[in-house]
Amino acid sequence: MPEAAASTGGAGGTAPEQPAPRLGRKRDHTRDAEILKAALDVLAETGYEAMTIDMVATRAKAGKATIYRRWDTKGHLVLDAVASLKDTALSPDRLPDTGSLRGDMIAMINPRWLGESEQRIKILSGLMSLLYRAPELAAAVDATIVEPSAAAYRRLMARAVERGEIPASTDIDTLALIIPSMSAYRVMFMRGCADRTFHETLVDEVILPALGIRTRTSQSVTDQRF
């Protein structure tokens, strides 16, 4: 008699070999950075509603299929694009340390920082209508656009407290928001430019006087009043 086939059931049975899963086509991530940058540029120029995947594809010189293989919706693409800004955020080791608060704040005003700051504000402007409807996007915007600037000013003021330059009772959290907030207002609502002169004015005539630090500019303004 022919040998019986091995049973596949029961405790002593041998389970049949499962076919190896067929691997799909691997996603190519080599162009992600270019696509995300293109998405940010288009978003800053057109706003979220007018932005299309076609525009991003054209700007990145990529096919729509390439983008859709990586991001299935415009919202997901924008979320990743905003999150990608975190890599260029101001970090503690990049902040100036001149020995004085005014020196530190003025040293932060450089073309690269101003350019990044204004671009971020334009991106924020492009997302305004969406922020209240998408909490996850609001969190990403705060972490990558708003918070890095505020955190930088908080750090500079905390060092000034450590040096004894300003009182320990200073409301650092509120004052750290002034320059980022005023810059955002100027670019988003006044369609102006948050340039070096604008930042110096905020430092010398708003921030430092609020901290009780008198500068030549504030002294000059006071003298003219009397």
Side-chain angles (χ1 to χ4, degrees), residues 152-166:
Y153 286 111
R154 279 199 301 272
R155 179 59 183 154
L156 296 184
M157 291 183 206
R159 286 200 317 222
V161 170
E162 292 169 5
R163 288 192 300 263
E165 190 177 0
I166 61 177

Side-chain angles (χ1 to χ4, degrees), residues 85-91 93-95 106-121 149 194-196 199:
L85 286 170
K86 194 168 187 177
D87 292 337
T88 60
L90 290 169
S91 56
D93 60 335
R94 291 171 56 190
L95 297 180
I106 296 301
M108 269 183 58
I109 306 172
N110 60 68
R112 180 179 176 185
W113 185 82
L114 289 176
E116 286 183 1
S117 177
E118 188 153 338
Q119 174 73 352
R120 287 163 186 253
I121 292 169
S149 293
D195 57 12
R196 183 180 184 87
H199 280 79

Side-chain angles (χ1 to χ4, degrees), residues 82 124 137-148:
V82 170
L124 176 59
L137 185 57
V141 166
D142 180 65
T144 59
I145 297 180
V146 179
E147 176 56 22

Side-chain angles (χ1 to χ4, degrees), residues 41-203:
D41 289 342
V42 173
L43 177 63
E45 292 170 12
T46 69
Y48 182 81
E49 283 77 9
M51 174 185 179
T52 66
I53 295 294
D54 277 333
M55 292 177 182
V56 177
T58 299
R59 181 69 62 93
K61 296 184 172 61
K64 282 174 61 178
T66 300
I67 296 177
Y68 277 119
R69 273 196 298 268
R70 180 73 174 83
W71 299 277
D72 55 356
T73 67
K74 180 174 74 171
H76 290 151
L77 172 60
V78 167
L79 190 60
D80 274 3
V82 170
S84 74
L85 286 170
K86 194 168 187 177
D87 292 337
T88 60
L90 290 169
S91 56
D93 60 335
R94 291 171 56 190
L95 297 180
D97 190 357
T98 65
S100 75
L101 181 57
R102 183 182 189 277
D104 290 347
M105 286 186 164
I106 296 301
M108 269 183 58
I109 306 172
N110 60 68
R112 180 179 176 185
W113 185 82
L114 289 176
E116 286 183 1
S117 177
E118 188 153 338
Q119 174 73 352
R120 287 163 186 253
I121 292 169
K122 287 179 179 178
I123 291 166
L124 176 59
S125 180
L127 290 170
M128 282 296 289
S129 63
L130 191 64
L131 294 181
Y132 290 107
R133 290 182 279 131
E136 70 282 2
L137 185 57
V141 166
D142 180 65
T144 59
I145 297 180
V146 179
E147 176 56 22
S149 293
Y153 286 111
R154 279 199 301 272
R155 179 59 183 154
L156 296 184
M157 291 183 206
R159 286 200 317 222
V161 170
E162 292 169 5
R163 288 192 300 263
E165 190 177 0
I166 61 177
S169 59
T170 299
D171 186 356
I172 289 175
D173 288 336
T174 298
L175 291 175
L177 290 171
I178 290 178
I179 291 180
S181 300
M182 292 296 293
S183 298
Y185 182 84
R186 185 177 179 86
V187 174
M188 291 167 60
F189 299 106
M190 298 179 66
R191 304 298 178 189
C193 176
D195 57 12
R196 183 180 184 87
T197 300
F198 176 73
H199 280 79
E200 285 185 350
T201 300
L202 287 179
V203 170

Side-chain angles (χ1 to χ4, degrees), residues 19-25:
R22 180 176 295 177
L23 297 176
R25 181 178 173 184

